Amino acid sequence: VIVGVTAGITMPLVGAIVDHTDHRKAMGSISALIVVLSVGLQIMLSSETWFACFIFEAIGGYALIMHQVCTMAYLPDLTHDFIEMAHYTSRFMMNQYLVQGAYTTLVIVISFSPLALSNLDTARLAAGVSALIGVIFFGYSWIFLFRKRPRLRVLAPGANLYTTGFKQLLDTTKFVFKNYKALKWFMIALLFSPEAGAGVVLAIAVTFLTFFVRMDVKEIAVVSLLMLFSNIPGAFISKKMCKWVNPLNSFRLAELMFATVNALIAGTVTGATTKDKNLVYFYAALVGVAFGWMFPSQRTLAVALMPKGQETEIMGLISFFGQIVGWLPVFVFTVMNENGVSMRWGLASLSFFLVVSFLFTLLCGKFEDAVALVEHTSDEYLNDYKRKSGVLELDSFVEDDKEKEKPRGTDLPTDSD
C-alpha cells in the first residue's frame, strides 16, 4: 500500500522530469537494474534478515512501477494506429503471462518435488529464479531493443529541472482536464479499476480461498496457475475486441465481465465443500480471461487517448490515478471482515469498484471523437521527433550528397532560359 501510494504521488513528477531530458532509456535501465537487485538480494531471506528483505521488496516494488511508466511511454513510438497498438499490447501481455505462468509452474513443481524443500528454501529459490529471468529479459531489452529518445521539452534558460517538472506537471494536469474529456474520465475510472492493485485483488482472493473456502497450498497453487494461463486467451480476446468494438468498449466489457464473475463467486461459493472448490477452479479460469482481456485494452486505450509528445509525463499521471487508491478494496474487505461481515460480501465489494469504474468510462463520450481530438498531435509529434533526433538533418545531408554527385553541366541554363 505504501509503495503504491508513494509511486502514485511521485510518478507524474518523474515523468515530467524525464520528458525534459534525453534520459528515458537510462531511467528505464536503472529501474530495471534496481528491480533485479532488489529481488536477487532476497535469496538471503531468513529469520534474521526478514526486515531487510522487506525493505528490498518495497524498493523493488517502487522501481517496478517506475519501470512500467518508462516502458509504457515507448508504446506511442510503435504506432499511432489503435488496431496495430491492440495487436502489440495483447502480444506483449500474452508473452508476459506465458513467462509468469512458466515461472510459477516451475516454482510450484519444485516445491512439491522429492527435493523436499522447506518454505524458506522455496522462497529463496523463487527469488533467485526471478532475478535470473530479470537479468536475461531486462538486460537484452535495454541493451539491444530500446533506443535513446530525444528530450520532448527544452528547459528555459536558467530554469531548474525539478521546479520545472512540478510546474509542467501542474500545467499538464490542468490542460488534460480542461481539453481532453475522454482522457480525464478514463483516468478517474482508473481510481476504481484493479489495474493498480492487481496484487491487492489477488491478496483478497488468497485470503478468501484460505479462510473461507479452506483450500490448502496445493489447491491455491492450481487456482493461481488456472488464472495465469487463462490470461493468455484473455489477451487474444482483447486484440479482437479492440478491433471489432474499439478499445474503449473493449475495456468496458472486460470490466463488466470481471465484475460479473466476481459477483458469481461471492453468490455461489458458499462454503468449503468439494462442489465449492470445483466452482472456484471454474471461476479462476474466467477471472484469468477477464484480467487478460482488461489490461491490454486499457493500455491500448491509454495510448489512443493521450496527446502525443508528453508520453512519460502522461503515463505518470495515469499511474497516479491507477495507484493512489489501489489500497481501498483491501481496506474495505478488511473492515467488513473485522466487523463480522461475511467474506462473501467483502469479496463482492470488488464488483462495486469495477461497476463504478465502468460507469465513469461512460462519461468519456465516443471513442472516435476522442481520437480525433488528439489526432493532430500525432503529426506534430512525428515531425518534432524527426527534428530532434536529427532525421531531418540526415535527409538534408543525403540531398546535398546527391546534388554533389550530379554530372557536371546539369545546372547550366537551358535554351528556354
Side-chain angles (χ1 to χ4, degrees), residues 32-254:
L33 177 61
I34 294 173
V35 170
V36 171
L37 290 176
S38 299
V39 174
L41 287 171
Q42 293 180 51
I43 61 174
M44 69 177 188
L45 179 65
S46 68
S47 57
E48 291 79 25
T49 61
W50 70 267
F51 186 74
C53 291
F54 171 77
I55 298 299
F56 289 141
E57 180 67 17
I59 293 172
Y62 181 86
L64 181 60
I65 296 172
M66 181 184 294
H67 183 265
Q68 290 175 338
V69 169
C70 291
T71 53
M72 291 304 102
Y74 276 93
L75 283 179
D77 292 347
L78 299 177
T79 179
H80 290 176
D81 181 86
F82 74 84
I83 295 178
E84 290 184 12
M85 184 59 67
H87 169 77
Y88 287 130
T89 55
S90 62
R91 183 62 181 270
F92 295 156
M93 297 304 289
M94 288 169 70
N95 292 343
Q96 176 181 323
Y97 297 143
L98 182 61
V99 173
Q100 286 179 334
Y103 163 76
T104 305
T105 301
L106 175 64
V107 173
I108 290 173
V109 168
I110 292 177
S111 65
F112 292 112
S113 70
L115 295 174
L117 295 178
S118 65
N119 290 339
L120 183 58
D121 289 334
T122 301
R124 290 169 175 167
L125 174 68
V129 173
S130 179
L132 178 62
I133 293 173
V135 168
I136 295 172
F137 288 104
F138 282 159
Y140 177 75
S141 298
W142 287 107
I143 293 173
F144 298 107
L145 301 182
F146 287 103
R147 299 179 180 179
K148 286 187 176 182
R149 297 285 282 98
R151 68 184 68 193
L152 299 177
R153 294 178 176 274
V154 179
L155 282 175
N160 180 279
L161 181 61
Y162 299 100
T163 56
T164 300
F166 274 111
K167 182 179 183 301
Q168 181 60 41
L169 173 60
L170 181 61
D171 292 342
T172 299
T173 304
K174 290 180 178 178
F175 186 76
V176 166
F177 271 69
K178 180 180 179 181
N179 297 283
Y180 296 105
K181 168 187 171 184
L183 182 58
K184 174 184 73 174
W185 289 113
F186 168 65
M187 291 194 297
I188 292 174
L190 290 182
L191 290 170
F192 302 91
S193 169
E195 163 69 11
V200 171
V201 172
L202 292 176
I204 293 174
V206 170
T207 303
F208 178 79
L209 297 178
T210 302
F211 295 101
F212 187 83
V213 190
R214 304 291 179 182
M215 284 185 155
D216 59 29
V217 175
K218 290 183 179 179
E219 290 169 330
I220 293 177
V222 172
V223 171
S224 299
L225 291 177
L226 282 170
M227 289 181 63
L228 279 172
F229 285 108
S230 297
N231 288 163
I232 298 174
F236 181 78
I237 291 173
S238 173
K239 173 185 173 180
K240 295 299 182 182
M241 294 302 289
C242 284
K243 181 178 180 180
W244 292 341
V245 299
N246 76 51
L248 177 56
N249 286 329
S250 178
F251 180 61
R252 288 167 174 163
L253 292 172

